[in-house]
Amino acid sequence: MSRLAAVHVLSALVAANLRRQGRDRIGLFFMVILPFVIIVVVGLALGGHAGDGQRLRLGLVVEGAGSGELVARFAEHPELTVVRVAGVAELRRQIGQGSLVAGLVLPEGVGDGAVRLPFYLVDGSGEAAVVRNNVHAVLGRYGALAGAERMAGRLGASPAQVDLVVARTDPIFSDVRVVPGAETLRLGFAYTAPANLVLFTFINSAAVAGALVETRRLGISRRSLAAPVRPWVLLAGEVLSRYVIALLQALLVVVVTALLFGVEWGPPAGVLLVVAAFCLVSTGVAMLVGGLAGTGMQAAALGPPIGIVLGMLGGCMWPLLIVPPLLRDAGHVFPHAWAMDALLALPQRGLDGAMTPVAVLLAMGVAVTAVSLHLFRRSVLRTR
Amino acid sequence: MLTAALECEGLVKRYGSLLAVDGLKFSVTEGEAYGLLGPNGSGKSTTIEMVVGVLIPDSGTVRVHGHEMARHPLRAKRLVGYVPQEVALYPDLTGRENLRYFGRLFGLRGQRLRRRVAEVLDVVGLADRADERLGTYSGGMQRRVNIAAGLVHEPKVLVLDEPTVGVDPQSRNAILESVERLVAGGTTVLYTSHYMEEVERVCDRVGIIDRGRIIAEGRPEELMATLSPGGRAEVEVDGDVQAAGVAVAALPGVAVTVADHRPRLLLVTWTEGADRLPDVLQALNGVAAVVRTAAVRPSLEEVFLHLTGTSLRD
């Protein structure tokens, strides 16, 4: 059998399977609609950040007049987004639910002299620590300038001269960089987009195994063996079909979330590599389910629960950074955790930061696909 | 000289301790329709799957137009069209899409593929429904597409494994007519069934298979002649049936029984001579009035029963 003939058969198999998938309306809902509904809802609930370059949200409660200039200093800080909040109770609530990283109360007379400013943050939060440093920097500069202004007045400088000097003074902002190997907590769309890519690519791959079971159960695979085609070409066609479907699902999430929500995925080549490796694992699982399940309904029913459990362990439901080390280690028995590690590392550390997870995913993918191919082939030959 | 389109020699297939096919041997000449007749579990489908190259025999050889299936499977398979017992098609694709898929598996493409798909849709009479999904077809229509999928690449040998199982009489007739047209057109056919009337209708030659072996082979009329070299008749009488039976039984070489369910019907069998019915009627003269007579032709079912002691549909 020539290489061209093999490619012709492969393309026939892939075309037939894609056409079948395209006609499965429930399957399309799970692939095209549901992932984005979850990304939007959960992403907004987690703050709606689109990437790691996002400004950290600082809540300000302004209790009296005279703090306008200080509020303006906070607003011009490149790493802070200032959100005016009505009162302390509301400030605490928003910090508690995660929509604000930290909060500051500006009491009456804050512009007149030394006062104590209550600062609210969640204990142990790395992002809140960054905000606190930035708040200290803004307050320090504000206090220094106010002091300099008072001193200049005492020395006889006019307010216009003081303003001129102040205007020439550039603020100094810290530029926070993440050191390779360090972990940071991503929230909002920056977290839910990769989480749902992993979750739905896996679940839908397992679910489309239903069509594979039907192909086997109806005797189509067996009948195809009567064609002048090497058996491995037929198997490769089934694998490739599932791989293309998984890849389409993953790339759909990447493209849509990048375009609509501005999610920063990192270097495209790196994203493609990670996605390709994870799709290989998902395809292997699809073939495994396709070889083991007795009916298409069985396969379709197996996908979501397995996918959700592995998603929970792998950090697709909540970041692994917030779970105990034992659970985090347990999660890394499965591919989801490695895929999340890779996807979360890409925007910060590029492909270098994702190489280990990618290697693990590729190894898992090759192993699962090899086992599943063996089982699927056996199940096709066994069916009578 | 007749050319062998399909030759099977010494085919053996075991499933664990079960010997499914036991040294099976037969051959089909080019343009011939050969029927494998046997009950469920006799080894028909296993034989068929070895013939089409889906199943590898434990021993023995299959040759298609001289190409050995084990040594040159791609060459041999290209010449064979396979219609499995189940409707092995994608229910969520249309009839045309299914045929295109199987055509592409056999290397067809472009204009030739389109032409062949249109032709086989005509052969099975489904051109007008070709673009509807297979899942919306009746069982009989699905079976017709199932046959079309085996024909799309213009095989030299068509292998049909019980193609009419579970279909209504109308669809069954349509399927048989399609097969008859193919046979008339010169396609070599290997046909399995446990419906003897189908095999009698379609096939030139029949092999009776039981427990994985061919136990009798020949033209249908030859096989039936082995059961009764003489003849049989039904004679319905009016009058003393017992006396009529005794009169007929007195004839040399003639046996008679009274039908269980029809007490005025005599079943008469003779083992010698082409036609002993005139002798029977003469023997009945003055004993009982003859209402009706009919010659009875033995069936392949009876041949099978005679050879194996079991019914085809057991």
Side-chain angles (χ1 to χ4, degrees), chain A residues 230-255:
Chain A
R230 303 262 180 228
W232 69 262
V233 176
L234 294 170
L235 284 173
E238 294 294 357
V239 171
L240 189 61
S241 301
R242 271 73 215 176
Y243 190 77
V244 168
I245 291 169
L247 207 57
L248 286 176
Q249 165 76 90
L251 293 179
L252 185 72
V253 173
V254 171
V255 171

Side-chain angles (χ1 to χ4, degrees), chain A residues 3-366:
Chain A
R3 197 171 294 169
L4 188 66
V7 170
H8 185 66
V9 170
L10 280 176
S11 67
L13 255 166
V14 172
N17 282 319
L18 288 182
R19 198 168 276 136
R20 296 173 70 200
Q21 184 64 29
R23 288 182 184 159
D24 178 3
R25 289 183 186 174
I26 295 173
L28 282 181
F29 171 78
F30 273 91
M31 282 188 78
V32 179
I33 308 289
L34 192 60
F36 299 105
V37 171
I38 293 178
I39 286 169
V40 169
V41 173
V42 181
L44 287 174
L46 292 179
H49 314 309
D52 291 301
Q54 82 274 7
R55 292 148 62 98
L56 300 169
R57 290 164 66 85
L58 171 69
L60 286 183
V61 177
V62 180
E63 291 185 332
S67 56
E69 196 179 338
L70 182 55
V71 172
R73 297 289 85 78
F74 280 117
E76 73 184 17
H77 194 286
E79 291 189 7
L80 296 176
T81 292
V82 171
V83 178
R84 296 284 286 267
V85 181
V88 172
E90 177 62 12
L91 183 72
R92 293 173 68 103
R93 191 186 70 78
Q94 288 200 31
I95 293 170
Q97 72 176 23
S99 58
L100 293 174
V101 176
L104 184 68
V105 179
L106 303 178
E108 182 76 37
V110 71
D112 301 336
V115 287
R116 295 181 71 82
L117 307 182
F119 183 74
Y120 293 89
L121 76 165
V122 175
D123 188 28
S125 161
E127 286 189 324
V130 173
V131 172
R132 184 166 63 182
N133 288 342
N134 289 327
V135 166
H136 280 159
V138 170
L139 290 175
R141 173 174 163 76
Y142 178 78
L145 287 175
E149 205 171 321
R150 279 195 294 275
M151 180 63 74
R154 281 190 213 130
L155 293 174
S158 70
Q161 286 173 314
V162 172
D163 285 347
L164 190 64
V165 172
V166 167
R168 286 176 184 162
T169 311
D170 291 329
I172 299 169
F173 295 118
S174 62
D175 182 7
V176 179
R177 298 288 176 93
V178 177
V179 177
E183 292 172 317
T184 53
L185 188 64
R186 300 178 84 197
L187 291 173
F189 298 130
Y191 166 72
T192 59
N196 283 284
L197 180 152
V198 171
L199 194 64
F200 278 94
T201 300
F202 189 88
I203 286 176
N204 284 328
S205 290
V208 297
L212 188 63
V213 175
E214 288 304 300
T215 302
R216 195 194 79 215
R217 200 181 59 81
L218 292 171
I220 301 167
S221 304
R222 200 168 174 82
R223 180 182 198 162
S224 300
L225 290 172
V229 179
R230 303 262 180 228
W232 69 262
V233 176
L234 294 170
L235 284 173
E238 294 294 357
V239 171
L240 189 61
S241 301
R242 271 73 215 176
Y243 190 77
V244 168
I245 291 169
L247 207 57
L248 286 176
Q249 165 76 90
L251 293 179
L252 185 72
V253 173
V254 171
V255 171
V256 171
T257 56
L259 293 178
L260 293 188
F261 312 122
V263 171
E264 295 169 9
W265 286 91
V271 176
L272 203 58
L273 183 63
V274 174
V275 163
F278 185 68
C279 286
L280 185 63
V281 183
S282 300
T283 301
V285 172
M287 296 299 294
L288 198 62
V289 174
L292 294 176
T295 65
M297 294 285 281
Q298 247 178 34
L302 275 173
I306 293 174
I308 288 170
V309 169
L310 296 190
M312 285 193 290
L313 287 167
C316 300
M317 302 286 183
W318 45 77
L320 282 186
L321 277 177
I322 67 170
V323 305
L326 184 66
L327 208 54
R328 201 184 305 179
D329 291 343
H332 282 85
V333 172
F334 304 104
H336 293 56
W338 293 101
M340 286 302 290
D341 285 354
L343 289 171
L344 292 176
L346 278 173
Q348 299 166 343
R349 288 176 269 156
L351 190 52
D352 286 348
M355 284 315 284
T356 303
V358 166
V360 174
L361 285 174
L362 283 173
M364 284 181 167
V366 169

